[in-house]
Amino acid sequence: MNSKTLLYILKRIFLAALTVWIVITITFFVTRAVPGGPFLGEKALSAEAEAALNAKYGLDKPVFEQYTTYLSDILFRFDFGPSLKDRGRDVVDIITNGMKVSIKLGVCAAAIATVVGVVLGAVAALRRNKLVDKIIMVVTTAFVSMPSFIMGTLLLLLFAQVLKWVPANGATAGGLIMPVITLALYPAAYITRLTRSSMLDVLGQDYIRTARAKGVSPVKVIFGHALKNSLIPVITYLGPMLAYIVTGSLVVEQIFAVPGIGRDFVNSITNRDYPLIMGTTIVLATLIVVMNLVSDIMYKVVDPRITLE
Amino acid sequence: MKKNPFSLHVNMDDFIPATAEEKEYMVQMRPSTTFFKDGVKRLLKNKVATVSFVLIVLITLTSIFLPMLWPYGYDQQLGQVWGRPMDPSYNNLAPFEYGTTEQARIAAGESIFPHIFGTDSQGRDYFIRVVYGARISLGVGFFASIIVLIIGMTVGSIAGYIGGKVDIIIMRIVDIIYSLPDTLMVILLASVMKVSLGALIEGTVLAKLGSNMISLFVVFALLYWVSMSRLIRGQILSLREQEYVLASKAAGAKSGWVIKKHLIPNCISVVIISTALQIPNAIFTESYLSFLGLGVNAPMPSLGSLASDALNGISSYPHRLVIPAVVISLIVLSLNLFGDGLRDAFDPKLKN
């Protein structure tokens, strides 16, 4: 790794930190802009009760002081304050509980999507313009343009209601199967298309012809030369894939009643539970930004040919 | 005389002036084609794109004109007649079934317009709700893309043409907005704005649209212009360095002329294509937000909110979920395929 790469990485880390800070700032000021204040909700309160609540949550202080307190609470104590609707529970508590389920869901979906996508993409590229290739391309085109909530609801209808193969409720045993499949479908289709086009590109390269001419076995050419090199674009997709899985899990967890962080987020919006909205937004946004950072850096490290800005 | 193949003598027969007929033969009798006509011809050759285009036009025309002809309104509760108690027989009708009073009228020999997709839990004709939902989705997609186009084009062309410090500052802002997780920010802004906007727009024309719809447009205006402005900046930067621009400047052209004659015509196809591809994106986002309950205000339907409402009765009334799901997938798919066709026809360079 040379100094140029290091400089690039430092620059990216700085940009990521800046992004996270901006997310926190936007979240803070946007929720403060809500009429009635973030901790008060909808109901009209008596003047004394409002004053007492304001004092309790520090809302009587100047906005800038509230902001610095919030920022230092998050950064140094990892404290997002108490939840409004779920009395007695901290936001951090709710988030960690939700995360346990959501991470399981997300990691399974990402793993399935990557494996299925790479295999199907490679098969399609090797069988170019044959029937298999055409079927794969048609199916992936359909999956790519179907919104995740449509996919989820239709799968729920088909497998849980009509065929009754799997439970409809994501909280039960085996209930994660459907949400995982729903979440994995779009990225799997996308990775298939990505792998196919990059594999076709690699298969046309001179070094593949050279390897074949030298008498390297076809299996080794496909796995050692072609597939390995065509996976580089897939790495760049890892960050966006995670972003998709995070946002997709918001609706998928809602549809299948999975007790994850996505459902907490959506419920916090309908409940106007602003501390929870802020907490989940910040945690999920940080996750996405960090994953984008990692996939960007990996991309540059894996392929030294890529010029650094 | 026998001809010697190696002779350098010129064969004078080759130099006889061509007759009028021969001249006619050499002239290409094809009308000159413009860039636009050429692109349309290529587009029409692409069957997938043509079919998609026809489908989009059909859906759009239906969603605009059908509600004018339809005998039921999208928010009309059929069981409710003024001055009488609510008639529950109209709620949750299956397709092509009728309520009790309608059945009585049919028995009396009257012909009643059928409820093609049945009715929903509040006795509203479901077909017209789906048509209205498609209208809302298409409208949001179209206008959001126009907003994105205007902001992105203005900022991008300023950054690209002026360059220097202005460009650096604008591009840093674009970088930061670009790296924000957009969906989360959209949800956050939409959820907060629909509360705070409600009071702000009360009594104005905007109130008719509803606070949720306005917040959707504001969110699009705030977050989605960045990729468009990047694209246009890049186009202008590369076009500015082209030889024909240099030649034009050397010949004494003013910058107004360069912009009008060189930059805009060369940018326009990229702009149109990316706007066309932005529409399905916007529809996607709108339906996603509506599904989460952040979209249009009730009782106005959108395809996303229809699907979300149908989720509660999924085991008894699956058709209510399948219909909006199919319509929205059809719209997004055909818009995407048409956009791809447009790109292939008008700017083959963009295809990678």
Side-chain angles (χ1 to χ4, degrees), chain A residues 18-19 22-23 27 30 34-35 145-147 149-150 153 156-157 161 247 250-251 255 265-266 269 272 277 284-285, chain B residues 176 179-181 183-185 187-188 191-192 195 284 287-288 291-292 311 314-315 318 321-322 325 328-329 332-333:
Chain A
L18 188 69
T19 310
I22 288 173
V23 167
T27 315
V30 159
V34 177
S145 38
M146 218 191 256
F149 68 89
I150 296 291
T153 44
L156 180 76
L157 185 64
Q161 299 289 344
T247 52
L250 301 187
V251 288
I255 294 168
F265 185 50
V266 176
I269 290 168
R272 308 249 165 88
I277 296 181
L284 292 180
Chain B
I176 288 168
S179 56
L180 289 177
T183 316
L184 290 175
M185 291 290 115
I187 293 173
L188 179 79
S191 68
V192 170
V195 185
F284 205 95
S287 62
Y288 179 89
F291 189 81
L292 293 180
L311 206 54
I314 188 171
S315 43
L321 174 66
V322 175
I328 200 161
S329 309
V332 172
L333 185 67

Side-chain angles (χ1 to χ4, degrees), chain B residues 256-278:
Chain B
W257 175 269
V258 172
I259 292 174
K260 206 170 78 192
K261 283 285 166 188
H262 296 301
L263 299 187
I264 291 178
N266 279 302
C267 270
I268 202 82
S269 59
V270 176
V271 169
I272 291 174
I273 293 159
S274 47
T275 309
L277 286 170
Q278 182 74 44

